[in-house]
Amino acid sequence: MASNSVKRNWSIHDFEIGKPLGKGKFGRVYLAREAKSKYIVALKVIFKEQIEKYRLQHQLKREMEIQTSLRHPHILRLYGWFHDAERIFFILEYAHGGELYGELRRLGNLCEKQAATYIASLTHALAYCHEKHVIHRDIKPENLLLDHEGRLKIADFGWSVQSKNKRHTMCGTLDYLAPEMVENKAHDYAVDNWTLGVLCYEFLYGVPPFEADSQADTFRRIMKIDLAFPSTPQVSDEAKVLITQLLVKDSSKRLPLEKILKHPWIIMNADPNGTFSKYV
Ligand SMILES: Cc1nn(C)cc1-c1nc2c(-c3cnn(Cc4ccccc4)c3)c(Cl)cnc2[nH]1
């Protein structure tokens, strides 16, 4: 998309709409093509009535401002947006590889090289976000997409915030939430470090570490740091050490992002091609 894509007055008539790609709580995403350039995009359509009904105008505005401002190889681009009487349209980068969640479900669990490559990519993207005072707060497999080369892309900044200090808003599903968030206490960037630990565990074992039959039990497991490593699949001690250094109740003691990238497990397993992309 042209670099001025954010400034153009787009309309639905500029696009040829293709198959539905996915469905979220407030809208759908369609494969689409810009009619003149034939450029392929994902068009996220949200109904204004839904946004008004759930009073999400400010969150949506924040998502638009944040995602428009971010430029990183592991963050899905928001090229621009437009609206009509009933709907708001987001013109998004199309991730040809689909949802990482689908790949994880299909494989059951990931090998250590693939898991480390995704964790390193996420760490790079989060380091970039934190440099710009953005906390994502809702990193989970459903919000992770893959491009045509299998490179990870963080999508959906619906719960992120621009923050230079502690936050209080509750959000996200329990499995990926840090203790300070499930307790609805003040929280900061370190919530994303916790989530990296949860995702690393889930990539390697196929299930999140504090999964339980009820939200109440998940809550209890998170608060107790009730962390266990099954005997199968076989996972290296280095990976377990990294997970343990991230799933720490005291947020100030979680491994910092820059130390994750220097961790022996990441150095030994992450694919440099998929993780050391320069910022675009
Ligand atoms: C699915 C899928 N299969 N293949 C082969 C490619 C894709 C693909 N999906 C996307 C998607 C995509 C689709 N759904 N979702 C989830 C969603 C839906 C509505 C609101 C919020 C979030 C994201 C995007 Cl944004 C951007 N690029 C995408 N690419």
Side-chain angles (χ1 to χ4, degrees), residues 139-159:
I139 306 279
K140 52 182 185 260
E142 297 90 315
N143 288 343
L144 304 177
L145 298 167
L146 298 170
D147 72 5
H148 62 293
E149 292 176 308
R151 272 208 175 98
L152 179 144
K153 299 270 180 181
I154 300 178
D156 198 358
F157 279 72
W159 281 105

Side-chain angles (χ1 to χ4, degrees), residues 21-24 27 29 42 44 76 92-96 98-99 145:
L21 290 171
K23 191 167 170 302
V29 175
K44 183 166 151 184
L76 202 74
L92 291 158
E93 174 185 356
Y94 174 61
H96 294 72
E99 296 181 350
L145 298 167

